[in-house]
Structure formats: C-alpha cells, structure tokens
Amino acid sequence: MEIAYKDIPNFPVSTVEGHDGKLIFGKLGGKEVLAMKGRFHYYEGYSMQEVTFPVRVMYELGIRTLIVSNAAGGANTTFKVGDLMVITDHINGFPANPLRGQNVPTGPRFPDMHEAYSHELVELADDIARENNLRIVHGTYYGTQGPSFETPAEYRAYHILGADAVGMSTVPEVIVARHCGMKVFGISVITNMGITNQPETASHEEVQEVGNSVQPRIKMLIKKMTERM
C-alpha cells in the first residue's frame, strides 16, 4: 500500500528531484515494514521538527527499528566512490537540535547518545557482508545543513574532527529515533570524494547516478538483515 505525503495531515512534501514523496507499507524479509520514498531536509526550509516528524509517526505506528540511508561525500582517503559505509557514529553539524523546545514524552529531556547506531545491527551487517563477499566500510558521518556541497577546506576540517563521510541529512532523524528508544542502523553511499589530490566536483545528478548503481547491493544487505532481525 502507498500513501502520498500530501494526503497525510501535517506531513511535509519533499521538494528534491528523485524524492517521490510516498509512504510504502509492505513486507521485506518476511517482516512488515514501512518505507519512505523520499525524505525531507533542513535545507529545503523545513524546521527540525518538520524534518523529523515522520520518525515520530513511525514510532506511534509501533516501529522500533529505524534503517536510514544517505548519499555522502568521502572524507576518508581510504574510501572510494561507490563504497557502502556503515555508520558507527555521527557528528551533528546542524545549527539546531531537533529536540530543542518542550520535551516530547517519548523520551527523556537529555537522551543518551553513546550508542546512536546499534552495535548489534552493525555486527549483523558485518556478518552478512562477509558471507556475501560484499565490501563495506565503517565510519563517522558528519551532518551539515547544506544545500551547497562542501569545499575542499571544509572536507579537510571535518576529517580532522573525525568525519569519514559528509552529508546533508540523517543526523536529526537519528537523534529523534534514539529519543524514542528506537534501534538505528545507518548506511552511507559514498558518491564523491572530497579529500583527494585533485578534489572532484560534485552535482546532484552524479550523486543520483552513483546512488542508483549501488541499489542492488544495499537492497541485498537490508533484506538479509531484516530476515535475521
């Protein structure tokens, strides 16, 4: 079953090319799942509360495990374009926190974030990758507000701070999911390299092209993980 975002009360509508804007209910790996076809970003002009509203809806629908994916630029020189990076931690580079304001009673005023990304799910992904000869890497994701791509100097600065990949999403949703007590697994598709001897230019079209090329690998990994959850 599919429901268009525009038909859901209070739901934002994605304005980014390639983000259709639908909630899809179905089954994957024998489990009932809810998928978002298109997401919302802070750079589109939405508030942090609007960006993370779908996570609140998922929680109220009974979902307790959130799987997030994104396209990201590589800040780790050992990575290459097309790599799948399992997110093991993140750095919040956004100018606001989605929990700012009155506390929502799904979680504490000051939620702990020492395990933002489930160690158990990271280990499960590693096991499946080994069994299927799938190359995955691990790293820390740095979330920025966008929408401009990062400069070479910014990539170097973020890498010094501990970032392996840089993108414009994910962190707000993960913070809210953890506030709700949900387990989180995150994966980044490395669509361009920001730190090389000759930094590459980036465009939304190129990001989409690389993202589409790795879809079979991501689908296989997520399907097998869902079967074992």
Side-chain angles (χ1 to χ4, degrees), residues 88-111:
T88 54
D89 208 344
H90 72 228
I91 300 171
N92 184 9
F94 287 87
N97 189 295
L99 303 182
R100 182 176 180 270
Q102 184 176 354
N103 186 48
V104 179
T106 55
R109 170 76 281 188
F110 305 105

Side-chain angles (χ1 to χ4, degrees), residues 185-198:
F185 176 77
I187 190 163
S188 295
V189 178
I190 305 302
T191 55
N192 61 285
M193 290 301 300
I195 297 184
T196 61
N197 292 331
Q198 294 181 322

Side-chain angles (χ1 to χ4, degrees), residues 48-98:
M48 280 294 183
Q49 286 69 32
E50 289 173 316
V51 167
T52 57
F53 182 68
V55 179
R56 299 284 185 194
V57 172
M58 291 177 187
Y59 177 78
E60 295 299 331
L61 290 173
I63 293 172
R64 295 297 179 265
T65 300
L66 178 69
I67 297 176
V68 291
S69 63
N70 59 56
N76 185 323
T77 56
T78 67
F79 292 176
K80 59 185 180 181
V81 171
D83 272 347
L84 303 182
M85 185 191 86
V86 172
I87 306 174
T88 54
D89 208 344
H90 72 228
I91 300 171
N92 184 9
F94 287 87
N97 189 295

Side-chain angles (χ1 to χ4, degrees), residues 19-174:
H19 291 242
D20 290 350
K22 297 177 182 178
L23 279 184
I24 301 175
F25 297 79
K27 286 196 172 184
L28 181 67
K31 306 291 193 310
E32 291 186 353
V33 298
L34 169 60
M36 291 182 66
K37 192 173 184 181
R39 71 199 302 176
F40 320 114
H41 304 81
Y42 187 71
Y43 63 72
E44 294 177 77
Y46 293 120
S47 69
M48 280 294 183
Q49 286 69 32
E50 289 173 316
V51 167
T52 57
F53 182 68
V55 179
R56 299 284 185 194
V57 172
M58 291 177 187
Y59 177 78
E60 295 299 331
L61 290 173
I63 293 172
R64 295 297 179 265
T65 300
L66 178 69
I67 297 176
V68 291
S69 63
N70 59 56
N76 185 323
T77 56
T78 67
F79 292 176
K80 59 185 180 181
V81 171
D83 272 347
L84 303 182
M85 185 191 86
V86 172
I87 306 174
T88 54
D89 208 344
H90 72 228
I91 300 171
N92 184 9
F94 287 87
N97 189 295
L99 303 182
R100 182 176 180 270
Q102 184 176 354
N103 186 48
V104 179
T106 55
R109 170 76 281 188
F110 305 105
D112 180 72
M113 293 292 290
H114 85 278
E115 191 179 338
Y117 301 85
S118 168
H119 296 169
E120 176 187 355
L121 295 180
V122 170
E123 291 176 4
L124 177 59
D126 286 344
D127 289 342
I128 292 170
R130 280 192 295 269
E131 293 166 8
N132 293 273
N133 296 316
L134 175 67
R135 172 181 163 86
I136 60 173
V137 294
H138 287 189
T140 296
Y141 176 86
Y142 191 109
T144 70
Q145 65 176 324
S148 58
F149 289 108
E150 295 71 32
T151 68
E154 287 170 334
Y155 269 113
R156 291 193 296 270
Y158 297 151
H159 186 57
I160 290 171
L161 289 175
D164 297 291
V166 183
M168 307 172 192
S169 64
T170 301
V171 171
E173 297 99 311
V174 171

